[in-house]
Amino acid sequence: MKKASIVQINSEISALNGVTMQGEEGQFVYVEEVSELSTAKHYEVISETGTIDTKGFVVINNIPVSEEGRPSFEERFRNRAGLVDGEPGFQAIRILRPVSDDTYAIMTIWDDEESFQKWQTSKSYENAHKKRGTSQALPTTIFPRPSFVTTFKVG
């Protein structure tokens, strides 16, 4: 299985060969390999579509999932409809399984923030999330804490 890391850059770490992302919490690098740096979060890439460009807008939905909820959560993403893939401004998606904690990272990369915002108000977004709050949704008991979103600019 393909490995990935997200590494926070600090004064001791100046550059890595990957996608450099600037966000409110600092500068990070996404690499599709394992980084041995102590500031790295490690993942397994369980699903991917598209190519990550050297510029754009990154949205990471950080979703804590209980151990018993992992199989059904991953199955849902493996069988996703892929509606986002054809949206204007969409570059790539990575579904990242955490190696050492419980928080998955659903990373989408867009040409710009405007493309992402347009998708959020589209029929495609509505269809992709139509099971939320219904009996077909994943049980809320598999989510030990609320999810949170982080955004970054690339390039």
Side-chain angles (χ1 to χ4, degrees), residues 77-117:
F77 275 98
R78 280 194 183 97
N79 294 317
R80 68 185 185 85
L83 298 173
V84 69
D85 301 11
E87 285 297 305
F90 173 82
Q91 291 181 18
I93 187 169
R94 299 294 186 269
I95 312 300
L96 306 172
R97 174 194 296 139
V99 171
S100 61
D101 65 26
D102 67 352
T103 304
Y104 285 74
I106 312 306
M107 184 169 74
T108 56
I109 301 92
W110 301 86
D111 289 344
D112 49 40
E113 186 173 0
E114 183 182 9
S115 296
F116 170 70
Q117 290 174 345

Side-chain angles (χ1 to χ4, degrees), residues 2-126:
K2 188 176 188 177
K3 307 288 186 191
S5 298
I6 297 176
V7 183
Q8 184 162 20
I9 296 177
N10 57 37
S11 59
E12 298 168 6
I13 303 167
S14 58
L16 291 172
N17 188 19
V19 178
T20 303
M21 309 181 301
Q22 182 66 47
E24 286 185 17
E25 296 179 18
Q27 192 171 31
F28 295 79
V29 175
Y30 172 77
V31 293
E32 292 189 334
E33 59 188 47
V34 175
S35 170
E36 298 303 321
L37 298 168
S38 63
T39 59
K41 274 197 75 171
H42 303 291
Y43 299 94
E44 294 174 332
V45 181
I46 61 171
S47 180
E48 65 180 307
T49 301
T51 303
I52 301 172
D53 201 346
T54 56
K55 63 178 204 158
F57 184 70
V58 175
V59 179
I60 301 177
N61 194 354
N62 302 275
I63 306 174
V65 179
S66 66
E67 189 66 36
E68 60 275 2
R70 283 179 168 221
S72 56
F73 181 81
E74 290 182 17
E75 182 69 20
R76 179 67 52 99
F77 275 98
R78 280 194 183 97
N79 294 317
R80 68 185 185 85
L83 298 173
V84 69
D85 301 11
E87 285 297 305
F90 173 82
Q91 291 181 18
I93 187 169
R94 299 294 186 269
I95 312 300
L96 306 172
R97 174 194 296 139
V99 171
S100 61
D101 65 26
D102 67 352
T103 304
Y104 285 74
I106 312 306
M107 184 169 74
T108 56
I109 301 92
W110 301 86
D111 289 344
D112 49 40
E113 186 173 0
E114 183 182 9
S115 296
F116 170 70
Q117 290 174 345
K118 284 182 179 178
W119 175 68
Q120 283 192 302
T121 60
S122 72
K123 280 288 187 193
S124 177
Y125 180 89
E126 186 180 310

Side-chain angles (χ1 to χ4, degrees), residues 131-142:
K131 292 182 182 177
R132 272 190 191 164
T134 72
S135 61
Q136 294 178 320
L138 291 170
T140 57
T141 56
I142 72 167

